[in-house]
């Protein structure tokens, strides 16, 4: 079984679509054990990557909200 140590080079949407494909394949249950484990490992890595992408997006949104909040006129 090969390790999934390399960086995943796909968009969030592509990663989610691939996760969906993996889940569908695993739900069928017709893959051999080694293939199922490999797919599962790939899915876990993709889920971790998606989580990281979402965390980064959230940080950007918070920074932008803070910047916009700082620019709002103060009411006295």
């Amino acid at each position: 079984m090969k390790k999934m140590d390399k960086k995943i080079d796909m968009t969030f949407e592509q990663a989610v679509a691939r996760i969906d494909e993996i889940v569908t394949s695993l739900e069928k249950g017709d893959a051999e054990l080694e293939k199922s484990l490999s797919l599962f490992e790939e899915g876990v890595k993709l889920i971790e990557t998606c989580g990281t992408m979402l965390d980064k997006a959230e940080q950007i949104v918070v920074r932008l909200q803070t910047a916009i909040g700082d620019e709002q006129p103060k009411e006295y």
Side-chain angles (χ1 to χ4, degrees):
M1 179 170 26
K2 56 184 174 176
K3 267 212 172 285
M4 295 288 301
D5 289 337
K6 59 185 175 181
K7 182 183 175 211
I8 295 174
D9 187 27
M10 56 178 63
T11 67
F12 178 82
E13 293 77 12
Q14 290 170 327
V16 170
R18 179 62 184 142
I19 291 167
D20 189 46
E21 292 172 1
I22 290 169
V23 168
T24 300
S25 179
L26 290 172
E27 284 178 339
K28 286 182 185 175
D30 56 358
E32 294 181 9
L33 179 61
E34 281 294 315
K35 178 66 175 171
S36 293
L37 288 173
S38 178
L39 286 170
F40 183 78
E41 184 178 19
E42 180 185 357
V44 168
K45 182 68 175 168
L46 287 168
I47 290 168
E48 290 171 353
T49 299
C50 286
T52 300
M53 290 177 179
L54 288 173
D55 288 343
K56 288 178 182 179
E58 181 182 21
Q59 291 171 6
I60 292 168
V61 168
V62 168
R63 273 198 323 257
L64 290 172
Q65 287 176 330
T66 301
I68 291 170
D70 291 344
E71 293 176 8
Q72 297 295 322
K74 302 206 187 298
E75 294 184 28
Y76 296 97

